[in-house]
Amino acid sequence: MGRRGRVVLRRIEDRVRRGICFRKRLAGLEKKVEELAVLCDAHVGFVVLSCSGDDANPHHFAAPATHLELLFH
Amino acid sequence: MGRRGRVVLRRIEDRVRRGICFRKRLAGLEKKVEELAVLCDAHVGFVVLSCSGDDANPHHFAAPATHLELLFH
DNA sequence: TGGCCTATAATTAGGAC
DNA sequence: AGTCCTAATTATAGGCC
């Protein structure tokens, strides 16, 4: 994707590239979730527990904040 | 987006258009979640409880299936 | 490592049927 | 309401610093 070729749905073996991809896509996902919630007045939440080989960035998110109680109560 | 103008982050007031947008974006989100999980070997899940004014389509999803236990146990 | 840049791929709103 | 089409926007891999 981006500059070269299409997405191949397969684990990215290189640790560094996998981490970069993880951070970029996580940001994109957060935006999409927020958009779905607001545009469609939906209750949406998502959880990311970890990225393999990257203990530094366990993550958690739900959007928007007012839905948090509903989802994770 | 698409044919006319940019995304405005605001509730779509028209019921029919909101429902269409909901279904399209939900499908897109499922794909993105699946991709994040596989590409980055991450544990990801998301929940959609409802779309306002569309009781027909409460939805639930987590990807991939092997992560379900981890996330919603 | 982390932020910008940008060439491409991917998503999607609206239309047609 | 569902499916296909496609223009136009948006997301993002790889580069660069």
Side-chain angles (χ1 to χ4, degrees):
Chain A
M1 188 191 294
R3 305 274 282 242
R4 296 185 196 182
R6 302 190 178 180
V7 174
V8 179
L9 203 60
R10 172 174 168 69
R11 182 180 193 271
I12 296 167
E13 293 303 330
D14 183 76
R15 190 189 158 84
V16 174
R17 287 183 53 241
R18 189 169 65 246
I20 292 172
C21 180
F22 178 71
R23 288 188 295 276
K24 288 185 174 181
R25 280 178 174 268
L26 186 59
L29 206 54
E30 288 182 353
K31 198 174 173 214
K32 289 283 188 190
V33 167
E34 170 92 15
E35 286 176 357
L36 182 66
V38 176
L39 291 173
C40 305
D41 199 10
H43 299 298
V44 194
F46 83 101
V47 197
V48 179
L49 293 189
S50 67
C51 176
S52 152
D54 181 9
D55 352 286
N57 289 303
H59 200 93
H60 171 274
F61 178 77
T66 48
H67 297 167
L68 243 162
E69 289 176 26
L70 251 161
L71 289 164
F72 304 108
H73 205 228
Chain B
M1 187 192 294
R3 305 275 280 244
R4 296 185 194 180
R6 304 191 179 177
V7 174
V8 178
L9 203 59
R10 171 175 169 67
R11 182 180 192 272
I12 296 168
E13 294 302 331
D14 183 76
R15 191 188 157 84
V16 175
R17 288 184 53 242
R18 188 169 66 246
I20 293 171
C21 180
F22 178 70
R23 287 189 294 277
K24 287 184 175 183
R25 281 177 174 268
L26 185 59
L29 205 53
E30 288 183 352
K31 196 176 174 213
K32 289 285 187 190
V33 167
E34 169 91 15
E35 286 176 357
L36 182 66
V38 176
L39 291 172
C40 304
D41 199 10
H43 299 299
V44 194
F46 84 100
V47 198
V48 178
L49 294 189
S50 67
C51 176
S52 153
D54 182 8
D55 352 285
N57 290 301
H59 199 96
H60 171 273
F61 178 78
T66 49
H67 296 167
L68 243 161
E69 289 176 26
L70 250 161
L71 289 165
F72 304 107
H73 205 230

